[in-house]
Amino acid sequence: MTVTVETLEKLERKITLTLPADVIKNEVENRLKRLARQVKMDGFRPGKVPMNVVAQRYGYSVHYEVMNDKVGEAFAQAANEAKLRVAGQPQITEKDGAPEGQLAFDAVFEVYPEVKIGDLTTAEVERATATVSEAAIDRTLDILRKQRRTFGQRAKEEAAQDGDRVTIDFAGKIDGEAFEGGKAEGFQFIVGDGQMLKEFEDAVRGMKTGESKTFPLAFPEDYHGKDVAGKTADFLVTLHKVEAAHLPEVNEELAKSLGIAEGTVEALRADIKKNLEREVKFRLQARNKQAAMDALSAKAELDLPKSVVQAELDRLIEGARADLKQRGVKDAEKAPIPEDLFRPQAERRVRLGLVVAELVRTQDLQAKPEQIQAHIQELASSYEQPADVVRWYQSDNRRMAEIEAVVIENNVTDYVLSQVKVTEKDIGFDELMGQA
């Protein structure tokens, strides 16, 4: 086998492979002989099918398999000898005009780029901080109480207000015609919780048991029901029942119901604070990791392999189709999704992946076993049976690989933050949690 390597442009390369035709011919004959000993065909005993019959039936497919195998082996050997880091799959085509007794092929492919990372000490990163306040603990307590609220029926003359659970019948029409999903009987919702559109809640708020009301409701342009989005419907609502919410008191009984062994309010608040601090830590890590990765990516110089970007594009589009299918979109697998919609995201992911890999290699930032175990323990600590969660992670190689990837990212983040100019900024609990 003779090999030549050409540089086409940037990361694109071409290898010309030349193979003796006898190698292909002999392997095809050997495989057909093995096949003849196993194949079953009408009119022949097993293992007694004539070679010319086997070759006529299976010759083309066997020849195709052998060509794929031998050319693939030759390409892998040539790339290895040339010390090429191949990105993606090569495009292999047979060449005309090969010397007698030889077969020639062109393999066009890409290689992974050289990654140059600039001086990180000149980069600036804003590192976010946040603390758990007593007010945050109070709001969490209110949420826990609301999840355990009970309801008692109001007197007939009492009007529905925010926090009340109402039972209604409703029927909507657009241009005098009923529409799908526009009618229900005995429907319950809590006023002010945002389950219904604001205009609907505004209409029901203030109604009393036994009352009926007709009102217009304009559906938003981006409403999930495409048949009614942007249209105005007339609704008739009849209110059958109004129930006031009763929240449990913050006392020992509530603490015990929430699994606090000590059964004290102090222990309950301490448990809430610990859980919130854990969530704050993870959210800060994610936010600061993003800032560190942005700074790292900005300092890197490299060309992106088109084949790797395309593979990432295909993966993102496939994920989008799966999401549409889960949402009940008809023929989601055929949905036209423009590649340009995901190209920036695909290019960023590939770029960052190559840069991170280079930094991990040069700075020895691989995940150490003790780091992986510590991360699993931290994730498991928020569950009632931490040991079961640890076993769940350790029993699956895919889950362990995901944990390893997170630890590597954390190592890279820590390294970048140790190199760049860091400015601390307290962003506040509410902003971090997305409540502001």
Side-chain angles (χ1 to χ4, degrees):
M1 180 181 72
T2 55
V3 180
T4 57
V5 182
E6 297 177 50
T7 298
L8 301 182
E9 61 169 36
K10 291 187 177 180
L11 302 177
E12 201 170 52
R13 304 286 185 271
K14 182 170 76 172
I15 285 182
T16 299
L17 306 165
T18 306
L19 298 173
D22 287 347
V23 171
I24 305 295
K25 180 183 176 184
N26 292 339
E27 182 63 20
V28 170
E29 289 177 353
N30 289 336
R31 292 194 188 187
L32 286 173
K33 286 177 184 176
R34 289 198 296 270
L35 192 60
R37 292 196 293 268
Q38 305 166 4
V39 73
K40 295 178 182 179
M41 295 179 67
D42 292 342
F44 300 97
R45 285 182 296 157
K48 298 297 183 180
V49 182
M51 273 297 298
N52 64 325
V53 176
V54 174
Q56 186 177 8
R57 173 72 67 88
Y58 299 103
Y60 177 81
S61 61
V62 169
H63 186 269
Y64 181 80
E65 288 174 5
V66 170
M67 290 283 282
N68 266 353
D69 291 349
K70 291 300 179 184
V71 175
E73 290 171 8
F75 173 76
Q77 182 181 340
N80 185 55
E81 289 179 2
K83 294 182 171 57
L84 297 173
R85 296 174 60 229
V86 178
Q89 293 295 320
Q91 300 295 318
I92 298 177
T93 55
E94 189 170 354
K95 287 183 68 173
D96 294 329
E100 188 173 348
Q102 300 285 318
L103 296 173
F105 303 88
D106 279 341
V108 178
F109 58 98
E110 288 182 294
V111 294
Y112 281 105
E114 178 187 1
V115 179
K116 295 179 181 178
I117 300 176
D119 184 5
L120 289 173
T121 62
T122 62
E124 296 183 10
V125 171
E126 186 178 82
R127 178 162 53 193
T129 61
T131 55
V132 176
S133 64
E134 291 299 310
I137 297 173
D138 289 338
R139 285 197 295 274
T140 305
L141 257 177
D142 288 341
I143 292 170
L144 293 170
R145 293 171 67 206
K146 192 176 288 187
Q147 289 170 350
R148 286 158 179 77
R149 61 191 159 187
T150 57
F151 293 90
Q153 189 164 344
R154 285 189 181 277
K156 189 173 182 180
E157 65 274 9
E158 291 187 278
Q161 56 187 270
D162 282 346
D164 287 351
R165 184 169 68 187
V166 294
T167 304
I168 61 171
D169 296 341
F170 66 83
K173 293 183 178 181
I174 297 176
D175 297 329
E177 298 290 331
F179 56 91
E180 187 177 354
K183 183 177 181 180
E185 294 180 354
F187 182 81
Q188 289 188 333
F189 74 96
I190 296 172
V191 181
D193 267 18
Q195 180 184 348
M196 309 297 284
L197 289 173
K198 182 179 182 300
E199 290 85 346
F200 201 102
E201 288 195 338
D202 289 345
V204 173
R205 188 184 292 106
M207 289 181 66
K208 298 176 182 177
T209 302
E211 283 187 348
S212 295
K213 178 188 286 188
T214 301
F215 62 94
L217 186 148
F219 288 99
E221 293 287 347
D222 59 352
Y223 191 67
H224 59 82
K226 299 302 179 187
D227 293 338
V228 300
K231 298 178 181 178
T232 298
D234 291 311
F235 274 91
L236 170 63
V237 172
T238 300
L239 194 151
H240 294 297
K241 187 192 294 186
V242 180
E243 296 171 285
H246 298 286
L247 300 179
E249 294 294 324
V250 179
N251 53 24
E252 292 183 0
E253 186 179 346
L254 177 64
K256 289 177 180 176
S257 72
L258 289 167
I260 304 301
E262 296 92 327
T264 65
V265 174
E266 291 76 13
L268 172 59
R269 292 182 68 87
D271 187 69
I272 291 172
K273 184 176 184 180
K274 186 176 81 171
N275 288 324
L276 289 178
E277 285 176 340
R278 184 186 299 112
E279 181 65 19
V280 163
K281 178 181 177 180
F282 283 130
R283 293 203 181 200
L284 285 173
Q285 279 183 339
R287 184 172 177 134
N288 293 331
K289 181 186 296 183
Q290 181 73 51
M293 293 299 181
D294 287 345
L296 175 62
S297 183
K299 284 292 183 180
E301 293 181 19
L302 70 157
D303 293 318
L304 297 183
K306 296 174 185 175
S307 56
V308 180
V309 172
Q310 186 61 51
E312 183 64 20
L313 263 176
D314 294 342
R315 197 183 69 78
L316 289 171
I317 290 173
E318 189 61 33
R321 288 204 173 98
D323 184 56
L324 291 175
K325 187 175 182 179
Q326 192 173 13
R327 292 169 185 264
V329 175
K330 187 178 179 182
D331 296 327
E333 62 277 2
K334 300 176 185 176
I337 300 178
E339 287 189 349
D340 288 347
L341 195 64
F342 289 100
R343 187 170 295 280
Q345 186 180 357
E347 289 179 348
R348 185 186 185 281
R349 285 191 178 188
V350 171
R351 177 184 176 84
L352 200 51
L354 294 172
V355 175
V356 165
E358 178 66 13
L359 199 63
V360 169
R361 183 184 68 82
T362 58
Q363 301 299 325
D364 189 25
L365 299 175
Q366 290 83 2
K368 295 176 175 57
E370 59 270 22
Q371 290 180 311
I372 293 173
Q373 290 306 314
H375 191 71
I376 293 173
Q377 292 287 350
E378 187 169 25
L379 291 175
S381 65
S382 62
Y383 293 87
E384 289 185 7
Q385 302 293 334
D388 291 343
V389 178
V390 171
R391 282 192 292 271
W392 182 79
Y393 276 111
Q394 293 176 338
S395 66
D396 188 285
N397 288 335
R398 182 182 56 82
R399 295 184 199 121
M400 290 297 288
E402 290 173 354
I403 294 293
E404 183 179 4
V406 171
V407 171
I408 289 173
E409 287 181 355
N410 290 342
N411 288 347
V412 170
T413 300
D414 291 343
Y415 176 81
V416 172
L417 292 177
S418 74
Q419 300 294 308
V420 301
K421 298 175 183 176
V422 174
T423 304
E424 301 279 351
K425 181 184 178 183
D426 186 356
I427 60 172
F429 179 84
D430 286 348
E431 182 182 341
L432 180 66
M433 305 300 283
Q435 296 171 356

